């Protein structure tokens, strides 16, 4: 009988988080084997053409910079400086995201970024194994059994990282523990990808540096730019009931929906009916679990331990931040002190990942419904004025989440204090120019600044 291969470190899942994690570990001298169920790098590269795009923000860029790849990744992104709202008549309204255009999100192809990170892993000597679908894991012995096209492969790893996404097979093995808590809350909404091709001259048909949103109450469409002049659109709707994927299920119904709700997008999407009918409806949900680690052997990261809905654009970014925190802890603890590193990871990251999960759910209401609402727009405009006038005292919650590495929990709690201040400032005005900035400063000094001091938060980013 052939002996089982022994490995020092196995990362299961070569997606966005697993491939970055492998680079973080390699940088610290660990011999890493990365197991990915997809067949080859070429297969991932082929997905890059029309794949979904996502935004990378400060936390993600910071994590990439730590492995020397921040600048290289930014080169194949498109900066997105604000939201462009499209109403039913095609009227546009633009809302900048940050204090100025330097504070922006970067739109990137998910598969393009994934392929880039795996190529880097190969170049840096990481043992990347494709066509390896984890079928079974034994957390105590570290034994991993993978299915592949030729049969199956079993290895035994001293240390295992589960970065195999929202339906994690590594996490599944945790369910054998009596104390393991798992909740998976599915959203009643799903999503469909749509494609907005480049103009005939290869340019962009609508404003390039914006997230385009068609907010329609309990459903919405959005589109993010790609580097080639195209946009990837995503339609979010309930799965069943009024205005749902269930209701709009044939070509005529889809045309009727778009003519009524998204008329100005029709010339941008010549194949929207085919896309809509052919593309699968994706599911959205929130995964929470505890503990994230098993003794000193196994740790879950990324969507495997904290899958969130996409409405704050922080799923990958928070998974990348896991990699940064893990790297810091490895530097602080002695080599091979996995038990203390894993326990500290769960202690530090879980409250923050729970906070961004809640923020992401809350932001769905903001994006789909409130961005078209006058009171909301006024509050945003007032907040923008304050942020520009006194950036050392006030940064919006959005800015803290997207453009800083302030812990998500602190950003969440600071946002509660800020909401009270904005409510008071907006009570008697109907235009942001009317806001009394001196009154704003007094409220901030009295309420926000003392709160920030208790959490050691400063706005020097
Ligand atoms: C519509 C949408 C929009 C989004 N937009 C954003 C955004 O703008 N910004 C942002 O930060 N996040 C966004 N996200 C979230 C982001 O996509 C995820 O948080 C991120 O992909 C998580 O990375 P991961 O590596 O943990 O998991 P995944 O990316 O899912 O990777 C898991 C990997 O494990 C592999 N795998 C799975 N099972 C096995 C197995 N049994 N054996 C071996 N390998 C396995 C998979 O093939 C995959 O490569 C969005 C998500 C959606 C759905």
């Amino acid at each position: 009988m052939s002996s089982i291969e022994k490995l020092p470190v196995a990362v299961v899942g070569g997606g966005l988080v697993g491939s970055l994690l492998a680079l973080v570990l390699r940088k610290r001298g660990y011999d890493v084997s990365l197991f990915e169920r997809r067949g080859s790098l070429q297969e991932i590269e082929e997905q890059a053409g029309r794949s979904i795009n996502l935004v990378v923000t400060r936390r993600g860029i910071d994590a990439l910079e730590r492995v020397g790849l921040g600048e290289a990744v930014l080169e194949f992104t498109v900066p997105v400086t604000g939201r462009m709202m499209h109403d039913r008549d095609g009227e546009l309204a633009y809302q900048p995201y940050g204090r100025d255009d330097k504070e922006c999100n970067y739109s990137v192809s998910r598969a393009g970024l994934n392929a880039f990170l795996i190529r880097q892993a190969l170049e840096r000597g990481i043992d990347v194994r494709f066509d390896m679908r984890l079928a079974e894991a034994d957390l105590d012995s570290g034994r991993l059994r993978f299915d592949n096209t030729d049969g199956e492969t079993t290895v035994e790893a001293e240390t295992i990282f589960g970065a195999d996404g929202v339906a994690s097979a590594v996490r599944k093995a945790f369910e054998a523990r009596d104390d393991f808590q798992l909740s998976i809350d599915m959203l009643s909404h799903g999503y469909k990808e749509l494609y907005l091709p480049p103009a005939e001259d290869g340019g962009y048909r609508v404003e390039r540096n914006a997230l385009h949103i068609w907010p329609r109450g309990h459903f919405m469409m959005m589109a993010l730019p790609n580097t080639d002049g195209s946009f990837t659109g995503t339609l979010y709707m309930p799965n069943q009931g009024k205005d749902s994927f269930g209701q709009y299920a044939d070509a005529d119904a889809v045309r009727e929906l778009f003519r009524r709700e998204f008329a100005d997008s029709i010339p941008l999407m010549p194949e929207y009916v085919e896309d809509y009918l052919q593309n699968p409806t994706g599911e959205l949900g929130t995964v929470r679990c505890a503990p994230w680690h098993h003794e000193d052997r196994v740790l879950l990261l990324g969507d495997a331990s904290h899958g969130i809905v996409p409405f704050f654009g922080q799923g990958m970014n928070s998974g990348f931040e896991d990699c940064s925190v893990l790297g810091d802890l490895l530097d602080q603890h002695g080599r091979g002190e996995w038990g203390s590193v894993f326990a500290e990871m769960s202690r530090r990251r879980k409250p923050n990942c729970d906070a961004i999960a809640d923020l992401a759910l809350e932001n769905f209401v903001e994006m789909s419904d409130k961005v078209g609402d006058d009171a909301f727009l006024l509050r945003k405009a007032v907040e923008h004025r304050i942020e520009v006038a006194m950036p050392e005292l006030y940064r919006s919650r959005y800015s803290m989440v997207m453009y800083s590495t302030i812990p998500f929990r602190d950003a969440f709690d600071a946002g509660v204090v800020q909401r009270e201040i904005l409510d008071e400032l907006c009570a008697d005005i109907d235009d942001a120019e009317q806001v009394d900035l001196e009154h704003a400063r007094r409220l901030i000094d009295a309420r926000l600044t003392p709160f920030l001091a208790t959490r050691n938060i400063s706005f020097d980013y």
Side-chain angles (χ1 to χ4, degrees), residues 219 235 237 243-244 248 251-263 266 272 276:
F219 62 101
L235 175 62
M237 277 206 302
D243 293 324
S244 69
Y248 302 109
D252 286 342
V254 174
R255 273 190 211 101
E256 184 226 309
L257 167 71
F258 274 73
R259 281 186 198 134
R260 191 182 68 233
E261 302 290 348
F262 310 119
I266 294 176
Y272 75 95
Y276 182 104

Side-chain angles (χ1 to χ4, degrees), residues 12-18 35-38 52 54-55 110 132-134 163-165 169 191 236 284 302-303 310 313-317:
V12 181
L16 294 164
V17 174
F35 293 87
E36 168 55 39
R37 83 176 157 193
R38 285 170 294 175
I52 197 157
L54 29 73
V55 295
R110 176 214 283 258
M132 291 280 188
R133 191 185 70 82
L134 181 72
D164 51 344
Y191 70 95
Y236 295 96
L284 299 168
D303 276 15
Q314 287 299 309
M316 170 193 68
N317 285 293

Side-chain angles (χ1 to χ4, degrees), residues 286 288 292 306 308 312 314 318 348-363 397 401 406-413 455:
T286 305
R288 290 187 172 90
W292 285 7
H306 51 89
I308 61 178
F312 225 122
Q314 287 299 309
S318 62
R348 282 205 203 168
R349 292 299 291 153
K350 174 121 176 85
N352 289 311
C353 292
D354 284 345
I356 191 61
D358 291 340
L359 285 171
L361 285 163
E362 204 178 277
N363 220 38
R397 178 148 85 180
V401 168
I406 292 170
F408 287 130
R409 182 79 252 164
D410 291 341
F412 184 101
D413 294 343
R455 300 285 177 95

Side-chain angles (χ1 to χ4, degrees), residues 306-450:
H306 51 89
I308 61 178
V309 295
F311 306 110
F312 225 122
Q314 287 299 309
M316 170 193 68
N317 285 293
S318 62
F320 279 10
E321 194 171 51
D322 290 349
C323 299
S324 301
V325 174
L326 183 81
D328 286 346
L329 290 172
L330 288 173
D331 294 341
Q332 285 157 20
H333 292 68
R335 192 177 170 80
E337 292 293 322
W338 297 111
S340 47
V341 168
F342 289 179
E344 187 61 11
M345 260 304 274
S346 306
R347 200 189 64 75
R348 282 205 203 168
R349 292 299 291 153
K350 174 121 176 85
N352 289 311
C353 292
D354 284 345
I356 191 61
D358 291 340
L359 285 171
L361 285 163
E362 204 178 277
N363 220 38
F364 175 63
V365 181
E366 175 165 330
M367 288 176 81
S368 64
D369 198 2
K370 291 194 187 157
V371 285
D373 174 279
D374 286 343
F376 174 81
L377 292 175
L378 173 65
R379 184 204 288 262
K380 279 277 173 199
V382 167
E383 183 163 60
H384 189 64
R385 265 200 84 194
I386 297 174
E387 210 173 3
V388 171
M390 42 192 116
E392 70 295 350
L393 293 181
Y394 191 102
R395 303 309 319 273
S396 69
R397 178 148 85 180
Y398 185 86
S399 147
M400 286 184 255
V401 168
M402 304 301 263
Y403 307 127
S404 85
T405 53
I406 292 170
F408 287 130
R409 182 79 252 164
D410 291 341
F412 184 101
D413 294 343
V416 175
V417 180
Q418 292 174 324
R419 181 163 297 181
E420 289 169 15
I421 294 176
L422 290 175
D423 280 347
E424 205 163 317
L425 292 172
C426 294
D428 302 316
I429 59 172
D430 47 28
D431 187 313
E433 290 306 312
Q434 297 163 351
V435 75
D436 177 350
L437 286 177
E438 269 319 303
H439 182 202
R441 186 181 291 273
R442 283 195 300 277
L443 289 177
I444 291 167
D445 284 346
R447 297 185 200 166
L448 184 62
T449 308

Side-chain angles (χ1 to χ4, degrees), residues 20-232:
L20 179 63
L21 171 68
L23 291 164
V24 167
L25 295 168
R26 183 78 196 123
K27 188 178 168 196
R28 288 167 177 80
Y30 291 97
D31 283 327
V32 184
S33 300
L34 178 63
F35 293 87
E36 168 55 39
R37 83 176 157 193
R38 285 170 294 175
S40 64
L41 178 56
Q42 195 190 353
E43 185 182 319
I44 298 170
E45 278 168 340
E46 279 165 9
Q47 293 170 353
R50 258 196 172 206
S51 96
I52 197 157
N53 49 18
L54 29 73
V55 295
V56 56
T57 62
R58 188 64 248 159
R59 289 163 215 272
I61 296 165
D62 182 59
L64 291 163
E65 280 170 351
R66 286 160 180 254
V67 291
L69 297 175
E71 266 182 42
V73 168
L74 288 183
E75 273 179 27
F76 56 92
T77 64
V78 180
V80 174
T81 54
R83 296 164 167 168
M84 184 73 83
M85 268 83 68
H86 297 237
D87 76 7
R88 285 192 180 79
D89 299 324
E91 289 293 318
L92 302 179
Y94 178 75
Q95 250 178 33
Y97 278 140
R99 196 175 31 167
D100 56 40
D101 281 356
K102 279 193 229 104
E103 285 196 333
C104 62
N105 308 334
Y106 294 89
S107 175
V108 67
S109 147
R110 176 214 283 258
L113 177 57
N114 195 184
F116 173 81
L117 292 174
I118 292 180
R119 247 182 280 121
Q120 289 294 324
L122 288 164
E123 277 172 26
R124 295 182 192 191
I126 292 164
D127 163 36
V128 184
R129 306 191 191 184
F130 293 102
D131 186 22
M132 291 280 188
R133 191 185 70 82
L134 181 72
E136 201 181 350
D138 183 302
L139 304 184
D140 291 321
S141 65
R143 192 169 286 199
L144 303 171
R145 183 170 62 77
F146 296 91
D147 289 339
N148 46 37
T149 31
D150 298 331
E152 58 177 51
T153 303
T154 300
V155 300
E156 230 170 63
E158 261 167 53
T159 309
I160 298 166
F161 293 91
D164 51 344
V166 73
S168 169
V170 180
R171 191 184 67 224
K172 183 91 197 132
F174 275 68
E175 290 177 34
R177 286 176 54 142
D178 289 341
D179 63 345
F180 188 62
Q181 293 164 16
L182 171 66
S183 72
I184 302 179
D185 297 313
M186 297 312 293
L187 206 63
S188 53
H189 285 64
Y191 70 95
K192 252 184 209 298
E193 278 176 54
L194 303 166
Y195 181 63
L196 293 72
E200 305 217 322
D201 64 0
Y204 292 82
R205 289 173 196 257
V206 283
E207 169 57 45
R208 168 185 190 255
N209 299 108
L211 166 71
H212 292 263
I213 310 187
W214 289 258
R216 298 294 181 259
H218 61 294
F219 62 101
M220 69 167 160
M221 183 166 74
M222 49 183 256
L224 270 174
N226 298 310
T227 48
D228 66 354
S230 67
F231 285 78
T232 303

